[in-house]
Amino acid sequence: MPLICVCSPKGGVGKTTVAANLSYALARSGIKVLAIDFDVQNALRLHFGVPLSDGRGYVAKSMENPDWSQYVLTTGGNIFVLPYGDSTEEQRVAFEDRLANDEHFLARGLSTLLNYPGLVVVADFPPGPGPALKAIASIADLNLVTMLADTASLSLLPQVENQRMIGGPLNHRAGHYFLINQVDTRRNISRDVTAFMEERLGERLLGVVHRDESVVEAHAAQKSIFDFSPASAAAFDIELISKKVASILGVKVGDGEVHASPKLSGY
């Protein structure tokens, strides 16, 4: 089933919040969604009501169990979560070493999930380059690169455009698209950078998410922006972006099923 990777060349851009709310938006349209966390911060689960004290996840067990589907948590509705989980330094290093040196390690771990009927996968990655982002390039369908409307993000744009994040294409299917997060039209620099990126990226820019305090408040309440503030600007922006993502991937929504060609891993 379609695999969407949410990534960024830098931290602090709200990437995990984007991944969570994109998952919510797709689920609202009738799609079954699995949110996977590849970030050691293990923060994605908090957006879906998983308690801070719940340390369950797949990384600590990934060396001994080749099928990670048994570590999926049900959060209600159409959303499921595969948390990174609590892990020791040794477990984290071993996990990343296998990602970097065993080209089939990730595909084996996710094989059951990627072939589950009627499921879209949204994966959240640590900022910058990393072994997980590189390892998933061969099986990802689309990468959504999250940026801010600031000069720091602008300076890193060539890194993504010139395929320097992982030393090659972020995926070999639909390619990568951009999202500008936390756009504040009251600030000159935010408006100027957004206008520049709109002109430079063209159709590769799927949209912008306006700065909205309700996004932070929704996260604190462990709710989606759609449940917390359905009339907010951010909810409208994310809904629109989710529809564009579904269109690019050829995913038909509205009946609870995903009509797309399944991935066959061969493992």
Side-chain angles (χ1 to χ4, degrees):
M1 288 293 103
L3 171 57
I4 304 160
C5 300
V6 182
C7 58
S8 177
K10 67 183 291 289
V13 301
K15 169 187 54 61
T16 299
T17 301
V18 167
N21 281 317
L22 177 62
S23 299
Y24 275 119
L26 292 169
R28 275 165 43 88
S29 67
I31 299 172
K32 296 182 182 70
V33 179
L34 170 66
I36 301 179
D37 197 348
F38 283 98
D39 195 328
V40 68
Q41 295 182 68
N42 196 29
L44 184 62
R45 65 198 167 114
L46 302 178
H47 289 268
F48 301 105
V50 178
L52 185 63
S53 59
D54 191 333
R56 290 178 292 176
Y58 69 99
V59 170
K61 301 292 185 181
S62 60
M63 296 299 106
E64 57 193 70
N65 192 336
D67 181 4
W68 304 340
S69 62
Q70 64 181 284
Y71 306 113
V72 171
L73 306 182
T74 302
T75 66
N78 287 333
I79 296 184
F80 306 87
V81 182
L82 182 58
Y84 189 99
D86 292 342
S87 63
T88 64
E89 179 69 6
E90 290 76 14
Q91 289 168 335
R92 181 191 65 78
V93 170
F95 176 69
E96 293 182 356
D97 182 68
R98 287 292 295 277
L99 285 173
N101 296 297
D102 182 348
E103 62 179 315
H104 302 306
F105 176 63
L106 189 60
R108 284 195 299 267
L110 298 179
S111 178
T112 299
L113 297 169
L114 293 180
N115 286 284
Y116 189 88
L119 189 71
V120 168
V121 178
V122 177
D124 180 39
F125 291 83
L133 189 61
K134 188 170 185 176
I136 211 165
S138 63
I139 58 176
D141 291 288
L142 182 148
N143 283 64
L144 186 58
V145 183
T146 305
M147 313 285 276
L148 292 181
D150 62 9
T151 54
S153 288
L154 194 59
S155 69
L156 291 171
L157 188 57
Q159 180 180 340
V160 183
E161 293 178 318
N162 298 327
Q163 300 183 357
R164 295 203 302 266
M165 274 191 71
I166 61 171
L170 288 172
N171 70 76
H172 300 277
R173 293 176 181 166
H176 67 271
Y177 292 82
F178 293 86
L179 175 155
I180 308 176
N181 196 27
Q182 300 178 21
V183 172
D184 188 346
T185 56
R186 299 168 299 179
R187 300 177 63 236
N188 289 337
I189 188 65
S190 185
R191 293 198 305 270
D192 292 346
V193 171
T194 299
F196 178 85
M197 287 190 177
E198 287 174 339
E199 181 177 354
R200 178 158 174 165
L201 298 175
E203 293 183 355
R204 285 286 163 183
L205 179 61
L206 290 192
V208 304
V209 178
H210 289 87
R211 187 174 182 84
D212 190 332
E213 289 304 315
S214 61
V215 173
V216 178
E217 294 168 356
H219 182 199
Q222 292 191 305
K223 293 182 178 180
S224 77
I225 186 62
F226 306 102
D227 291 330
F228 188 84
S229 183
S232 67
F236 176 83
D237 295 335
I238 295 167
E239 182 79 20
L240 181 60
I241 290 166
S242 74
K243 290 179 179 179
K244 290 182 179 180
V245 168
S247 177
I248 291 168
L249 294 176
V251 174
K252 298 179 182 178
V253 301
D255 60 359
E257 296 294 332
V258 177
H259 306 279
S261 299
K263 290 186 176 69
L264 300 178
S265 69
Y267 303 110

